[in-house]
Amino acid sequence: MKAALVDPIGLDNLKIIDLPDPEPGDHEVLVRLKYASLNYRDILTVNGGYGRMQKQENLIPLSDGAGEVIAVGPKVEDWKVGDRVMSCFFPDWQAGPMRSEVVRTNLGGMNDGVAVEKRVFRADALVAVPDSVELRDAATLPCAAATAWNAVIEQGKAGPGQRVLIQGTGGVSLFALQFAVAAGAEVYCTVSNEEKAKLVRTLGAAHTVNYREDEDWGKSIMKLSGGRGIDHVVEIGGAATLKQSMLSLALEGRISMIGVVTGPKAEINVPIIAMSGTTIQGVSAGSRHSLQRLVHAISYHKIKPVIDEKRFTLDSLKEALQYLDKRMHTGKVVIEI
Ligand SMILES: NC(=O)c1ccc[n+]([C@@H]2O[C@H](COP(=O)([O-])OP(=O)(O)OC[C@H]3O[C@@H](n4cnc5c(N)ncnc54)[C@H](OP(=O)(O)O)[C@@H]3O)[C@@H](O)[C@H]2O)c1
């Protein structure tokens, strides 16, 4: 079977190799992966960006995949051949709050991922894909959607009467937008051009500000909100966006700290946070139970993940990662396996 392998670490060293078909152990399931999706984090991992927190050689990348069960171990009761399944970002995080021991179980970083035709999973490290959700769509959920779901719904508790700010049109942001709209919140979105403004309005955003034309967008959003400010910012930018996010925020507002697309270090003004009663909370994907709740919501609300129109395969994974890195995409980049 085919697999993508990065060795030594570095995107230039990504190659497609042949590996023997794996076999499931007693409590394991063999899955024929059909689709995988890319996350910004995959650009970091294929280049060794997580240092000691990831494999630095012989890495099979990517965390998010979906496919069909093709064999089950003798002691597996929950799955049968033909079941449609998706991976979990942290296979050991079943439920409840995050614990340090689950962090090291992430796929496509500390452990081999899903850029492979067939892969063995522990039976409790998969989530069922309902008939109403296409496998291609399911492959976009384990990291970006799970993170957005936790930020906006499970931790952020967004709902009617709240103003939520989303940054740009990447994977996490568009899921956050769709969840906030489904929850009844009023959504503001920073965008890089008019085409993207149209897209987010189609998805239910009420207000847009072009962050390229308006460097002081934090103040503009505060003005647009009638001076009340944003209740909940889904922060994916980091270095270049946090200050503007703070300027847009309501008293007692919340910032979900998720990403670093503009850099990892930002200055914070402690007295302003203290006097404004701001909550800053880190968000990191989510548990298996949380992913199950998210899948139910996607199915019930008929939420269709936004997938970039450019098509890639396992053979063109390197080009797909370059495409993501150059920010040529909108929403999720998916590869067919
Ligand atoms: N904590 C976690 O568990 C977790 C989970 C998932 C992701 N993340 C992090 O979250 C971030 C986003 O991940 P992703 O997979 O959604 O990335 P992505 O699909 O590559 O999206 C990144 C998007 O950021 C937007 N952007 C760039 N500069 C911006 C700016 N100055 N202001 C507003 N938007 C800007 C661009 O959208 P436009 O082209 O529309 O401007 C770009 O498409 C990454 O840093 C990733 O590592 C963290």
Side-chain angles (χ1 to χ4, degrees), residues 38-41 43-44 50 89-90 143-144 147 167-173 190-192 196 211-212 217 235-237 240-241 257-262 283-285 324 327 329-332:
L38 275 52
N39 292 290
Y40 183 82
R41 151 220 203 236
I43 299 166
L44 303 178
Y50 285 83
F89 186 81
F90 295 113
C143 179
T147 305
Q167 298 172 347
T169 59
V172 174
S173 297
T190 59
V191 292
S192 51
K196 295 194 172 192
Y211 68 83
R212 289 218 172 114
W217 54 259
E235 174 67 45
I236 59 98
T241 51
M257 281 295 220
I258 293 175
V260 292
V261 294
T262 67
V283 182
S284 190
L324 187 81
R327 301 217 178 119
H329 67 295
T330 299
K332 294 299 295 177

Side-chain angles (χ1 to χ4, degrees), residues 57-73:
E57 53 188 20
N58 281 322
L59 174 70
I60 295 180
L62 308 189
S63 55
D64 297 8
E68 271 179 26
V69 172
I70 53 171
V72 296

Side-chain angles (χ1 to χ4, degrees), residues 77-116:
E77 292 176 354
D78 297 345
W79 304 108
K80 59 179 185 326
V81 170
D83 282 348
R84 294 165 3 113
V85 292
M86 74 182 79
S87 57
C88 295
F89 186 81
F90 295 113
D92 280 16
W93 190 3
Q94 293 289 315
M98 196 181 202
R99 300 176 320 281
S100 56
E101 61 269 26
V102 307
V103 177
R104 300 181 72 81
T105 66
N106 68 77
L107 300 187
M110 281 305 276
N111 305 281
D112 282 337
V114 299
V116 60

Side-chain angles (χ1 to χ4, degrees), residues 242 246 253-257 268 273 278-282:
L242 185 61
M246 299 286 306
R254 159 187 287 268
I255 298 182
S256 288
M257 281 295 220
I268 54 170
I273 292 175
T278 304
T279 300
I280 298 183
Q281 178 157 26

Side-chain angles (χ1 to χ4, degrees), residues 4 23-24 49 58 73 78 89 101 103 110 114 120 147-148 157 165 180 204 237 245 264 271 294-295 313 321:
E23 282 186 22
N58 281 322
D78 297 345
F89 186 81
E101 61 269 26
V103 177
M110 281 305 276
V114 299
V120 163
T147 305
K157 302 194 176 9
L165 172 67
S245 295
L294 140 68
V295 171
T313 62
L321 285 160

